[in-house]
Amino acid sequence: MDLVYRFIIYLHVLSVVASIGPFFILLPMIKKLKAASGEELNPYLDTFRFTVRLSKHAGHVLVGSGVLLVLMGPWTWGTPWILMTLFIMFCSLFFLARAFSPTLKRFNDPGEEREPLTAKLKRTIWTYLILLLAMLWFMVVKPVLW
């Protein structure tokens, strides 16, 4: 295995960590977000926005390094675990684009109830984590499905 391929694997794994890891930090922040008021609210919302932005950018590195790994590695685009990873990735892209930003914007609306918003945000985090962890499972286990 040549040095460039190993570096791309390292970059790929690092981008997975940057995509998934910060969402685990957000889970305990939900309770604080629910109780925050006035000026306390904005730092929590900024943390959520930053995490979503970081995940998007790390996802770009993840996709780019993944393409290079397939092109340089022993697998083809028709390999079942690659196809399933791509399918889940496209699902997670649509989910991420619509899941967080509209809910985070509603926190600043004066008439909004915070309890349903925080519950929705918690569900959204868990759903996104499940999608990302399923994708990670396919990349690590490489199951033969057909």
Side-chain angles (χ1 to χ4, degrees):
M1 200 180 290
D2 91 307
L3 188 61
V4 173
Y5 189 76
R6 288 180 188 198
F7 175 75
I8 295 172
I9 288 175
Y10 180 77
L11 191 63
H12 194 66
V13 170
L14 192 61
S15 63
V16 168
V17 170
S19 292
I20 298 174
F23 284 97
F24 285 103
I25 294 169
L26 295 181
L27 288 170
M29 284 183 59
I30 296 274
K31 290 179 187 174
K32 295 182 186 263
L33 186 64
K34 194 184 309 182
S37 61
E39 291 297 317
E40 295 174 341
L41 184 63
N42 286 330
Y44 292 117
L45 294 176
D46 288 342
T47 304
F48 273 85
R49 287 185 191 102
F50 174 79
T51 301
V52 171
R53 216 172 307 124
L54 175 66
S55 181
K56 286 179 184 179
H57 292 306
H60 294 126
V61 176
L62 183 66
V63 169
S65 61
V67 167
L68 289 174
L69 288 172
V70 172
L71 293 175
M72 295 171 67
W75 298 286
T76 66
W77 291 106
T79 306
W81 67 268
I82 291 177
L83 290 174
M84 289 304 295
T85 301
L86 289 172
F87 174 73
I88 295 171
M89 181 186 69
F90 287 120
C91 291
S92 70
L93 289 174
F94 288 112
F95 183 79
L96 183 62
R98 304 283 322 231
F100 289 99
S101 295
T103 305
L104 291 173
K105 286 178 186 174
R106 290 176 52 197
F107 270 94
N108 290 326
D109 292 345
E112 285 288 342
E113 294 271 337
R114 217 174 275 171
E115 185 73 31
L117 289 177
T118 54
K120 182 177 181 182
L121 208 50
K122 188 174 184 177
R123 264 191 328 274
T124 302
I125 291 170
W126 277 113
T127 304
Y128 192 61
L129 279 172
I130 289 168
L131 283 170
L132 291 176
L133 291 172
M135 198 169 22
L136 180 63
W137 182 82
F138 279 107
M139 287 188 280
V140 171
V141 175
K142 298 174 181 44
V144 179
L145 300 172
W146 56 82

